[in-house]
Structure formats: C-alpha cells, structure tokens
Amino acid sequence: QVQLVESGGGLVQAGGSLRLSCAASGRNIVINNMGWYRQAPGKQRELVAGITRAGFTNYADSVKGRFTISRDNPKNTVYLQMNTLKPEDSAVYYCNAAVLGGGSSYFADRWGRGTHVTVSS
C-alpha cells in the first residue's frame, strides 16, 4: 500500500513563508514525477509545481519566482518552499506522485490527503 503524507501547512501572514513536505511510503516503490496541486474553495484543483525524477521543474505562472519545488529521491520526499505568500495562495495543497510498486505494476497516480495553507492579509 502506498501512502503520501503531507506536512507543513498552517496560517501565515501575507509576505511570509511556509515549507511543505510530502513523504511517500510503500514496499518496493519507485517514484517518477512528483508535484504539488492546490484547490481553493469553489475552484478547481490546479497544478502549482512539478518535478521529474531527474530534477526538471515546472511552475504555475502565479507562483513563479516565489515557490520552489525540490525532492530527495532516497527519502521519496518532495518539498515546496513558498515565499512571499499572498492571500490568494490560500488553499488545500495536495501532493501527487507517479508511483510504481505498492501493488501496482505501472506508474499509478497517487495523492495525499492535503494540507491547509491560509494566508491572512
């Protein structure tokens, strides 16, 4: 069984910073792409940032220059450093990973349960 567990969310004032972490666990798993998505109330879930196993990254235009995604492959962990936070960044942030193993013979899409980020003005 594969689990993705996020941590690091919370309440922060505008202009502040938060660092999200997501650790994947499971037996004999291999992780390909990883990423962070977010969903604000009444809005669709959107991609915030993604990173390949080799470390290539992509970002939503709204977070470029403020957020940085990184990963630690031996630890099966992905991070999201969020700086200069704005109230519009408030959302539930979800970790996503393409995972081979843990009962799947192909790279299956896995999701965490989400962590809340609230940015006050």
Side-chain angles (χ1 to χ4, degrees), residues 28 40-41 43 62 80 105 107:
N28 297 325
K43 294 189 176 181
S62 59
L80 186 67
S105 59
F107 282 99

Side-chain angles (χ1 to χ4, degrees), residues 7-42:
S7 61
L11 173 64
V12 64
Q13 287 189 330
S17 298
L18 283 174
R19 188 188 193 216
L20 306 183
S21 300
C22 171
S25 62
R27 191 171 182 179
N28 297 325
I29 60 172
V30 177
I31 302 177
N32 197 358
N33 295 343
M34 302 185 83
W36 289 95
Y37 288 71
R38 67 186 180 187
Q39 187 167 18

Side-chain angles (χ1 to χ4, degrees), residues 2 6 13-14 23 46 55 67 69 73 75 77 90 98 100:
V2 177
E6 302 103 334
Q13 287 189 330
E46 62 175 358
F67 290 11
I69 188 170
N73 287 335
K75 294 183 179 180
T77 300
S90 297
L100 174 68

Side-chain angles (χ1 to χ4, degrees), residues 41-105:
K43 294 189 176 181
Q44 287 190 330
R45 190 174 296 190
E46 62 175 358
L47 174 67
V48 176
I51 185 167
T52 69
R53 185 169 181 85
F56 294 102
T57 60
N58 63 290
Y59 297 91
D61 288 342
S62 59
V63 306
K64 283 180 182 176
R66 300 188 298 121
F67 290 11
T68 302
I69 188 170
S70 60
R71 65 189 285 173
D72 186 331
N73 287 335
K75 294 183 179 180
N76 289 332
T77 300
V78 63
Y79 306 96
L80 186 67
Q81 177 67 44
M82 305 186 294
N83 298 328
T84 320
L85 282 160
K86 304 175 181 180
E88 51 265 41
D89 294 318
S90 297
V92 179
Y93 283 69
Y94 296 91
C95 174
N96 171 262
V99 182
L100 174 68
S104 175
S105 59

